[in-house]
Amino acid sequence: MSAVVTEAPETTTQPGLREGAFGNATSLSCRECGHLVALGPFYACPECFGPLEITYEFPQVTREEIEAGPRNIWRYKALLPVPTDIETSPNTEPGFTRLLEAKNLAAELGIAKLWVKDDSTNPTNSFKDRVVACALSAARELGATTFACPSTGNLANAVAAAGARAGIKTVVFIPSNLETPKQVNSAIFTENLVAVDGNYDDVNKLASEIAGEEEGWAFVNVNVRPYYAEGSKTLGYEIAEQLGWRLPDQVVIPVASGSQLTKVDKAFQELIKLGLVEDKAYRIFGAQATGCGPVATAYKAGTDAIRPVKPDTIAKSLAIGNPADGIYVLDIARRTGGSVEEVTDDEIREGIVLLARTEGIFTETAGGTTTAVTKKLVETGQLDPSLETVIINTGHGLKTLDSISGQVGPAATIAPSYDAFKATGL
Amino acid sequence: MSAVVTEAPETTTQPGLREGAFGNATSLSCRECGHLVALGPFYACPECFGPLEITYEFPQVTREEIEAGPRNIWRYKALLPVPTDIETSPNTEPGFTRLLEAKNLAAELGIAKLWVKDDSTNPTNSFKDRVVACALSAARELGATTFACPSTGNLANAVAAAGARAGIKTVVFIPSNLETPKQVNSAIFTENLVAVDGNYDDVNKLASEIAGEEEGWAFVNVNVRPYYAEGSKTLGYEIAEQLGWRLPDQVVIPVASGSQLTKVDKAFQELIKLGLVEDKAYRIFGAQATGCGPVATAYKAGTDAIRPVKPDTIAKSLAIGNPADGIYVLDIARRTGGSVEEVTDDEIREGIVLLARTEGIFTETAGGTTTAVTKKLVETGQLDPSLETVIINTGHGLKTLDSISGQVGPAATIAPSYDAFKATGL
């Protein structure tokens, strides 16, 4: 595997790959200019430097074939850039997480029919297990010898765990000032955790430099990013399958880079084209934190110009000040009749408690953002409460405990006696 | 619902229950003397004070019927004390967690074929979601108005979350010196968290007192315990179904009260009797911590007399000094050709790291105990490494982070430069 190559070769075959290494994927194509590039460790268009994404020639795929597959994302392997024998390669087997009908939250928000797609029950408790599993497959097929990422949170956990299970050398780069619990949650899986004196931007820059200099390193969110990003499509596939092979009317999705939102839309479009669901209108809404809401700001201003911001929010996993896919998020929100909304840190905390108290789901700050944004969308008339709605919970509250500590606690502290209990009035 | 009734009425019907409230369950029977008691909020035999458990008259149940059920424990509803419409009642939909083939760990331990049943991916990240779901159903059918438990950890989380989703008043009692993160992980779900100045025994005693005095309180592990405990059978059912409807040769299960181990055995026996799996010999092994190993001690001494201990171990979720089902654990281990083994706190920590580094699973201290005991069982020749083995991971390491902090961490802390990275040798 070569290192970072932004100048992809303009061929349609890539030497050294085994037959079917990427399943039904046929090439990489530039999202901006449509230029085609051979499947390989490339992520930027050699013509215009636009982002590359995977294109496919799908065979006929049936619901029955999918339903007969494993209870994880590989049931959709025909729609992913992975080989047909992907289930036999060691991976964390993520996905096919529960889609819970949220009647209590629906009543609270005044929504007729509401579902929570709960990715906090993935192997390392976030949706990142999906994308990392696809990146791992690409790394393997491209002959990478080291699996790596720069990260501060969910991604680090997912990469470290997947790398351990795959038995591939795995290196995770984190800012050295990261809180100890977050360090432990990656260090538990890998002996190669590298703390870098600097902020996340510094760590990211170092990762790109290493990717450019070293042979055989697959950085999941750098040089195998096109494969990695496709993993988020499985969220869309699962929502449709779990609803009984139909699309919801409305979906609310958190926006960090914006990739997940664009991939759920891509998944819905693919399902329609393949005849796996009926064609219908659906609206996609993006959720951001006010402390890092460049896409929401652009949406409200009615512009395509997304102005980068310096993040300042408790929703660390959404804190991308210059979101790579923000422009596509705006396009999808506008095209589908959705919108992009933002909420304050206090609203995020309230969203976390609201989801926990109504549905027994302890979400991370990103999920608190999505819940709070959903509430705001109803209150401001942007989301139609009479339509069936799905919100995506991307991760687990145990990972962002500090954001909520002090918000909740014991109702009373009592002596160990029945009289003391009676005095509580409970 | 009446309060704690140790003297159960000696009738075969219980007034006020709807038809089919407990599915195919027919009565409670004493595990010691076999005395039959009507289904109700009873847990102790009126004849001999032995523990009551559920008896059934099972209809013909087929694999196909089970496979057509939901992807959670309710696929086995015909084998549980729950009504046939249980899926329609709000619950956290636990179970059907992944059974991962653990090739790396197998190689490390020298076992030919090894699987991990991973209950850390349950809704609140432990097997307790299974038993609490069954307790919730019983509470509902018995007309309870308050759902409650005394607990310090996983059980508190599971009860608080299930109660929130069910929309039933939920009260959770904890020792007031419990660490803040553990308090938050329950308080997030309920406004009725009560901190009690005392140790777990004090909290437990208070709970029993309240159960005895108050009307309509269902304490999951007190007055609805027989229903609650049956939930652990689903671990056994799932292992068999996920292996392709067959039993493993060996299973290693952590022992706290011992209930889970006895219920996995019960599940296997039921599957054999129902013709859902082929009859075969299997061995069941119990795993304890040296700091709380009364059953292991009795096993090694060749006695049935389990001498209570004062727990002193990092495996808090296994720290039951006087295990109620210990005697049955001894019986099953001896009858099946298994054993009960113990490991030190240092070995438990090593077990946690071993499972994470080989299989990408971050387990709590109980899972570290099971992993370390499995290693010891192989090394001491008690477990046959040529036979197919399943180990049960009961919970998530994020809940016991403090036990492992300081054990793992960054390999290096570097300046944000390529040269600094190169100097690490990675």
Side-chain angles (χ1 to χ4, degrees):
Chain A
M1 181 188 188
S2 66
V4 158
V5 181
T6 53
E7 299 256 347
E10 297 170 50
T11 67
T12 51
T13 55
Q14 165 79 6
L17 290 176
R18 68 167 173 144
E19 183 80 20
F22 299 110
N24 295 314
T26 52
S27 63
L28 295 163
S29 72
C30 176
R31 182 135 191 179
E32 288 300 322
C33 74
H35 182 75
L36 292 181
V37 171
L39 291 163
F42 317 119
Y43 62 99
C45 176
E47 294 292 320
C48 74
F49 298 100
L52 296 175
E53 49 163 28
I54 313 284
T55 55
Y56 302 86
E57 269 178 30
F58 292 130
Q60 187 57 42
V61 179
T62 67
R63 294 176 180 179
E64 291 68 29
E65 281 163 10
I66 291 170
E67 287 166 357
R71 291 178 48 260
N72 55 53
I73 62 171
W74 307 132
R75 63 201 285 113
Y76 309 108
K77 64 184 176 184
L79 310 178
L80 296 170
V82 299
T84 53
D85 60 356
I86 180 67
E87 310 97 293
T88 62
S89 302
N91 66 86
T92 62
E93 303 181 10
F96 221 55
T97 55
R98 61 187 182 158
L99 181 73
L100 267 189
E101 186 174 356
K103 288 187 181 172
N104 297 336
L105 182 59
E108 196 72 35
L109 301 183
I111 295 176
K113 190 106 178 158
L114 181 65
W115 304 85
V116 178
K117 177 62 177 169
D118 184 18
D119 253 21
S120 71
T121 57
N122 260 321
T124 70
N125 310 98
S126 88
F127 86 99
K128 291 289 187 187
D129 290 316
R130 299 174 183 273
V131 286
V132 166
C134 291
L136 177 63
S137 177
R140 191 186 283 122
E141 298 300 334
L142 292 165
T145 51
T146 306
F147 193 56
C149 74
S151 169
T152 62
N154 287 328
L155 182 59
N157 307 159
V159 165
R165 184 151 160 83
I168 187 173
K169 181 183 163 195
T170 302
V171 184
V172 172
F173 297 87
I174 56 167
S176 59
N177 65 356
L178 197 65
E179 301 90 323
T180 301
K182 291 189 181 174
Q183 293 193 16
V184 171
N185 203 19
S186 291
I188 193 72
F189 299 116
T190 178
E191 55 186 7
N192 302 321
L193 182 69
V194 178
V196 178
D197 286 331
N199 61 24
Y200 178 66
D201 283 344
D202 297 322
V203 181
N204 219 359
K205 221 178 104 192
L206 176 62
S208 291
E209 205 178 340
I210 296 168
E213 296 287 339
E214 296 291 314
E215 286 292 314
W217 282 58
F219 276 90
V220 301
N221 49 350
V222 184
N223 51 348
V224 292
R225 186 173 180 88
Y227 308 89
Y228 163 89
E230 287 290 282
S232 285
K233 291 194 308 183
T234 58
L235 271 166
Y237 300 146
E238 290 179 17
I239 289 169
E241 181 179 349
Q242 291 173 321
L243 285 176
W245 292 109
R246 60 184 179 78
L247 302 181
D249 299 314
Q250 303 176 125
V251 192
V252 187
I253 307 171
V255 173
S257 73
S259 175
Q260 181 179 109
L261 186 147
T262 69
K263 294 298 182 178
V264 170
D265 178 60
K266 189 179 181 189
F268 287 178
Q269 291 298 318
E270 287 175 350
L271 293 179
I272 291 171
K273 278 183 201 125
L274 286 163
L276 288 166
V277 299
E278 219 168 276
D279 193 359
K280 66 170 276 193
Y282 57 83
R283 302 176 188 175
I284 296 190
F285 298 84
Q288 293 208 301
T290 304
C292 184
V295 189
T297 303
Y299 175 81
K300 291 177 186 196
T303 174
D304 272 354
I306 295 172
R307 197 168 156 181
V309 300
K310 195 168 172 339
D312 179 18
T313 171
I314 57 167
K316 302 286 183 209
S317 62
L318 301 182
I320 297 184
N322 190 12
D325 292 320
I327 184 82
Y328 308 118
V329 168
L330 286 174
D331 176 53
I332 291 166
R334 287 173 179 145
R335 173 167 54 75
T336 65
S339 69
V340 187
E341 190 48 276
E342 63 183 30
V343 285
T344 66
D345 283 0
D346 279 346
E347 290 173 306
I348 293 169
R349 290 189 193 96
E350 288 165 17
I352 293 173
V353 177
L354 180 63
L355 184 58
R357 296 270 165 101
T358 52
E359 303 300 340
I361 298 172
F362 187 12
T363 183
E364 62 175 354
T365 44
T369 305
T370 309
T371 305
V373 160
T374 304
K375 181 167 185 276
K376 190 169 175 181
L377 290 171
V378 175
E379 287 167 356
T380 54
Q382 298 176 77
L383 187 136
D384 185 340
S386 73
L387 298 180
E388 186 172 42
T389 304
V390 174
I391 67 176
I392 296 180
N393 176 32
T394 45
H396 204 298
L398 278 171
K399 296 192 185 186
T400 58
L401 262 184
D402 43 338
S403 72
I404 203 74
S405 292
Q407 302 287 308
V408 295
T413 300
I414 64 171
S417 77
Y418 182 66
D419 287 346
F421 159 72
K422 284 306 275 183
T424 65
L426 286 170
Chain B
M1 181 187 188
S2 65
V4 158
V5 181
T6 52
E7 298 256 349
E10 296 169 53
T11 67
T12 51
T13 54
Q14 166 79 6
L17 290 177
R18 67 168 174 143
E19 182 80 17
F22 299 110
N24 296 313
T26 52
S27 63
L28 296 164
S29 72
C30 176
R31 183 135 192 179
E32 288 301 322
C33 73
H35 183 74
L36 292 181
V37 171
L39 291 163
F42 317 120
Y43 62 97
C45 176
E47 295 291 321
C48 74
F49 298 99
L52 295 175
E53 51 164 24
I54 313 283
T55 55
Y56 303 85
E57 269 177 30
F58 292 130
Q60 187 57 41
V61 179
T62 67
R63 294 177 180 177
E64 292 68 28
E65 280 163 9
I66 291 170
E67 287 167 356
R71 291 179 48 259
N72 55 53
I73 61 170
W74 305 134
R75 67 201 284 112
Y76 308 108
K77 64 184 175 183
L79 311 178
L80 296 170
V82 300
T84 52
D85 60 356
I86 181 67
E87 311 98 294
T88 62
S89 302
N91 66 85
T92 63
E93 302 180 12
F96 221 54
T97 55
R98 60 187 184 160
L99 181 73
L100 269 188
E101 187 174 355
K103 288 186 181 172
N104 297 335
L105 182 60
E108 195 73 35
L109 300 183
I111 296 177
K113 189 104 176 158
L114 181 65
W115 304 84
V116 178
K117 177 63 177 169
D118 183 18
D119 253 20
S120 71
T121 57
N122 259 323
T124 70
N125 310 98
S126 89
F127 86 98
K128 291 288 187 187
D129 290 317
R130 299 174 184 272
V131 286
V132 166
C134 291
L136 177 62
S137 178
R140 192 187 281 124
E141 298 299 335
L142 292 165
T145 51
T146 306
F147 193 56
C149 75
S151 171
T152 61
N154 287 329
L155 182 59
N157 307 159
V159 165
R165 184 151 160 84
I168 187 173
K169 181 184 162 195
T170 302
V171 184
V172 172
F173 297 87
I174 56 168
S176 60
N177 64 356
L178 197 65
E179 301 90 323
T180 300
K182 291 189 179 172
Q183 293 194 15
V184 171
N185 203 18
S186 291
I188 193 72
F189 299 116
T190 178
E191 55 186 7
N192 301 323
L193 182 70
V194 178
V196 178
D197 286 331
N199 60 24
Y200 178 66
D201 283 343
D202 297 321
V203 182
N204 219 359
K205 219 178 106 193
L206 176 61
S208 292
E209 205 178 340
I210 296 168
E213 296 288 339
E214 298 290 314
E215 285 292 315
W217 282 58
F219 275 89
V220 300
N221 49 351
V222 184
N223 51 349
V224 293
R225 186 172 180 89
Y227 308 89
Y228 162 90
E230 287 289 283
S232 285
K233 290 195 309 183
T234 58
L235 271 165
Y237 300 147
E238 291 179 17
I239 288 169
E241 181 179 349
Q242 291 172 322
L243 285 176
W245 293 108
R246 59 183 181 79
L247 302 181
D249 299 316
Q250 302 175 127
V251 192
V252 188
I253 306 172
V255 173
S257 73
S259 175
Q260 181 178 110
L261 187 146
T262 69
K263 294 297 182 178
V264 170
D265 178 60
K266 189 179 181 189
F268 287 177
Q269 291 299 320
E270 287 175 349
L271 293 178
I272 291 170
K273 279 185 200 125
L274 287 163
L276 288 167
V277 300
E278 219 168 275
D279 194 358
K280 67 170 275 193
Y282 57 84
R283 302 178 189 173
I284 295 189
F285 298 84
Q288 293 207 300
T290 303
C292 183
V295 189
T297 303
Y299 175 83
K300 291 176 188 198
T303 173
D304 272 355
I306 296 172
R307 198 167 155 181
V309 300
K310 196 170 173 327
D312 179 19
T313 170
I314 58 167
K316 303 283 184 208
S317 63
L318 300 182
I320 296 184
N322 190 12
D325 292 321
I327 183 83
Y328 308 118
V329 168
L330 287 173
D331 175 55
I332 291 166
R334 287 173 180 145
R335 173 168 54 75
T336 65
S339 68
V340 187
E341 190 49 275
E342 63 183 29
V343 285
T344 66
D345 283 1
D346 278 347
E347 289 173 306
I348 292 170
R349 291 190 192 93
E350 287 165 18
I352 293 173
V353 176
L354 179 63
L355 184 59
R357 296 271 164 100
T358 52
E359 302 300 341
I361 297 171
F362 186 13
T363 183
E364 61 175 356
T365 44
T369 305
T370 310
T371 305
V373 161
T374 304
K375 182 167 184 277
K376 190 168 176 181
L377 289 170
V378 175
E379 287 168 357
T380 54
Q382 299 177 77
L383 187 135
D384 184 339
S386 73
L387 297 180
E388 184 172 41
T389 304
V390 174
I391 66 176
I392 295 180
N393 175 32
T394 45
H396 203 298
L398 278 171
K399 297 192 184 186
T400 57
L401 262 184
D402 42 338
S403 71
I404 203 73
S405 291
Q407 302 288 306
V408 295
T413 299
I414 63 171
S417 77
Y418 182 66
D419 287 347
F421 159 72
K422 285 304 277 184
T424 65
L426 286 170

